[in-house]
Each structure stands twice: as C-alpha cells, then as structure tokens.
Amino acid sequence: MTRVKVQSLVVDGRGYEDLVDSAARHALADRGTGEDAELSITLLDDAAIRTLNRDHLAHDRPTDVLAFALHASGEPALGDIYIGWDQAVRQAHEEGVPVAEELARLTIHGTLHVLGFEHPESAEARAASEMYRLQERLVAELDLDLDAISGNHA
C-alpha cells in the first residue's frame, strides 16, 4: 500500500497537503511504483531548507526541493522530500504560474529523484533532460483545479 505523509511547517493547509499527496501519487503511479512506495514530504521555510541544503549538500542557500532516496536498488521506493515553500512561492511568481502548480511541480520533481531520476546541473541542459520532460508531462496531466487550490495564498 502506498503511504505518502505530507506535513507543512510553514503553510496553514487549505488544500496544499492534498495537492502534494496527489502529485506524489501521480508520479509514483506513472512509474509503476505506487503500490509499495513510502514517501515523507515536508514543506519548510527558507531557514530550515537552507540548513538541510548546507548540512547535506554543502550549499549554504535556500533551495526549492531536496530529495533523499532511502531504499536500495530493487527495494520499494522509500524517501524523504523537503520542499522550500518560500522558494516555491518566488519561483511561481517569476514563472507566472499559480503557487499550487509550482508546488505540484516540485513534489513531482522530488518524487522522481527518490525514484532514481537525475538531471544535469545547468539550466539549459536540465530543460532538455528526460527527467524534466517527464516532470512537465506529469504536471500537465494532474487533474486538479490549481487556481481553486491556490486560493488566497501568496
């Protein structure tokens, strides 16, 4: 049975937990790994995700998503995903998309990382990567009313 635990340390709810859960489950199902997967997804503010980014990847700055696969090859997907809420809001505004859409995108991105997908570091190469194309297809397929979920948020 798929278990996705979503917690927010920075957002008051109002739909985002359901959105994150749906986005993660959609990515898992698309990859055929949904039945036995277990993910923990946490939304963090800039300070908290900056600390994780510094401590685990030696990058002393906030980031949008960190994903840690906790399973060995051949085992059911197991992982922790941390989404930088403040960064997600900034990116949504920069890209001109609803915050909910960016949150779904980052959830899918983190889920794909847990499943073993990687992408190049440069922005140009990343946009042409298999992972990016898959991520964007999955975001487009989400059957969610993103505007309604975004509601009165950022």
Side-chain angles (χ1 to χ4, degrees):
M1 171 179 26
T2 303
R3 289 188 293 189
V4 177
K5 178 184 174 194
V6 180
Q7 61 181 348
S8 174
L9 304 182
V10 293
V11 185
D12 62 4
R14 290 190 284 178
Y16 286 122
E17 288 85 355
D18 290 342
L19 169 70
V20 168
D21 181 88
S22 294
R25 288 176 187 277
H26 182 59
L28 291 168
D30 183 79
R31 300 288 85 199
T33 59
E35 289 302 313
D36 297 321
E38 186 172 348
L39 298 177
S40 173
I41 305 169
T42 306
L43 279 65
L44 299 173
D45 64 16
D46 272 347
I49 202 151
R50 179 181 184 171
T51 299
L52 281 175
N53 200 19
R54 182 192 64 226
D55 293 353
H56 293 279
L57 299 177
H59 301 298
D60 193 12
R61 63 180 182 272
T63 190
D64 54 2
V65 64
L66 294 170
F68 301 96
L70 305 172
H71 59 280
S73 180
E75 293 181 345
L78 173 66
D80 292 333
I81 300 169
Y82 299 92
I83 297 173
W85 169 255
D86 298 320
Q87 185 64 28
V89 170
R90 286 190 294 271
Q91 288 175 188
H93 289 211
E94 289 168 9
E95 296 298 321
V97 300
V99 171
E101 180 181 329
E102 187 64 12
L103 189 56
R105 177 173 287 107
L106 295 176
T107 300
I108 289 169
H109 188 91
T111 302
L112 292 175
H113 273 310
V114 168
L115 294 176
F117 283 83
E118 294 296 333
H119 54 73
E121 287 302 314
S122 77
E124 300 80 28
R126 183 181 298 195
S129 71
E130 174 190 359
M131 181 180 175
Y132 179 83
R133 289 189 312 271
L134 174 59
Q135 164 193 297
E136 292 306 301
R137 177 178 61 81
L138 292 171
V139 170
E141 290 174 356
L142 285 175
D143 187 24
L144 299 169
D145 184 351
L146 295 175
D147 291 325
I149 293 168
S150 293
N152 298 320
H153 293 285

